[in-house]
């Protein structure tokens, strides 16, 4: 099972990338996680799209098409998803009739130092995914609140958080083994 991971933060010491590292460590046998970095993806512009997808966009779309599922791990910015992530999804969804997002199963996670652990960003992200016809791993949601107390030197050290992430990955694998287009 090939899962394409997307982290909505470009920050070097990103807590959300620390969550990705925990995911890589805790993934069940047979689940391969590969990150696709978003840093080279230019700002969306329809004029540019009409001249052809820039190479980083074409590579991103191809990686989505090749993956069995996506795992999006995102911070919350201003109660929504970071522009970097929304921009990447806007490119991925174009043109609508050829979008590799269509029907692609997606799992969502997020970490924030705040109390709500990206709940509002995840809600907003789910709207975009629903619009794109993506089946979404059903709850419980993976909301890592107070993440600054759960990560040390880029490693998720909080044991309950690690167990919760590991459990979500087991649920993801079981969900993908069945028919993700049906509610769990
Ligand atoms: C522009 C900006 C907006 C933010 N807005 C929120 C927010 O609405 N809710 C929240 O919980 N944290 C917010 N934060 C704090 C982020 O959760 C925090 O910076 C987090 O570490 C970012 O994720 P990262 O460590 O993966 O880069 C914001 C941070 C920035 C830079």
């Amino acid at each position: 099972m090939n899962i394409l991971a997307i982290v909505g933060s470009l920050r070097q010491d990103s807590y959300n990338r620390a969550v990705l590292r925990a995911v890589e460590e805790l993934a069940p046998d047979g689940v391969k996680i590969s990150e696709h970095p978003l840093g080279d993806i230019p700002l969306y512009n329809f004029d540019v799209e009409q001249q052809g997808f820039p190479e980083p966009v074409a590579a991103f779309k191809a990686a989505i098409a090749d993956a069995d599922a996506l795992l999006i791990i995102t911070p919350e910015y201003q109660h929504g998803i970071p522009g970097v992530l929304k921009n990447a999804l806007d490119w991925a969804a174009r043109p609508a009739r050829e979008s590799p997002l269509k029907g692609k199963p997606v799992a969502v996670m997020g970490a924030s130092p705040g109390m709500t652990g990206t709940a509002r960003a995840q809600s907003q992200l789910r709207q975009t995914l629903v619009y794109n016809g993506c089946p979404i791993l059903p709850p419980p949601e993976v909301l890592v609140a107070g993440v600054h107390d759960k990560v040390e030197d880029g490693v998720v050290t909080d044991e309950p958080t690690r167990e919760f992430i590991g459990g979500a990955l087991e649920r993801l694998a079981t969900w993908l083994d069945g028919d993700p287009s049906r509610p769990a």
Side-chain angles (χ1 to χ4, degrees):
M1 231 175 250
N2 287 317
I3 313 269
L4 188 76
I6 300 166
V7 176
S9 172
L10 303 183
R11 195 168 80 86
Q12 184 157 352
D13 296 328
S14 160
Y15 289 125
N16 284 276
R17 191 157 291 97
V19 170
L20 170 60
R21 279 193 287 269
V23 162
E24 289 165 344
E25 241 185 273
L26 299 167
D29 286 349
V31 173
K32 184 174 163 247
I33 311 276
S34 336
E35 183 186 5
H36 192 96
L38 303 183
D40 290 343
I41 296 181
L43 290 177
Y44 178 78
N45 182 332
F46 182 65
D47 299 338
V48 174
E49 180 187 331
Q50 283 190 308
Q51 290 158 27
F53 290 114
E55 192 281 325
V57 174
F60 182 51
K61 288 165 69 70
I64 294 172
D66 284 349
D68 294 311
L70 306 184
L71 168 61
I72 302 180
I73 309 177
T74 186
E76 178 171 288
Y77 281 1
Q78 319 296 349
H79 290 189
I81 59 174
V84 162
L85 175 58
K86 182 63 163 57
N87 181 63
L89 293 174
D90 288 343
W91 272 118
R94 299 288 307 163
R97 66 185 178 285
E98 291 166 26
S99 168
L101 288 173
K102 197 171 175 199
K104 188 70 61 178
V106 182
V108 178
M109 298 184 180
S112 145
M115 301 269 290
T116 51
T118 73
R120 288 165 290 218
Q122 291 198 26
S123 260
Q124 193 191 62
L125 175 58
R126 283 183 171 83
Q127 287 178 29
T128 297
L129 296 174
V130 166
Y131 177 70
N132 280 281
C134 303
I136 305 168
L137 179 69
E141 295 162 304
V142 181
L143 304 167
V144 184
V147 68
H148 54 298
D149 291 328
K150 295 173 177 167
V151 170
E152 279 169 41
D153 297 329
V155 176
V156 178
T157 48
D158 182 64
E159 201 45 48
T161 303
R162 293 176 66 84
E163 274 171 32
F164 195 66
I165 290 171
L169 294 169
E170 296 284 352
R171 285 195 294 117
L172 174 61
T174 306
W175 183 62
L176 292 174
D177 249 351
D179 177 1
S181 64
R182 295 169 62 91

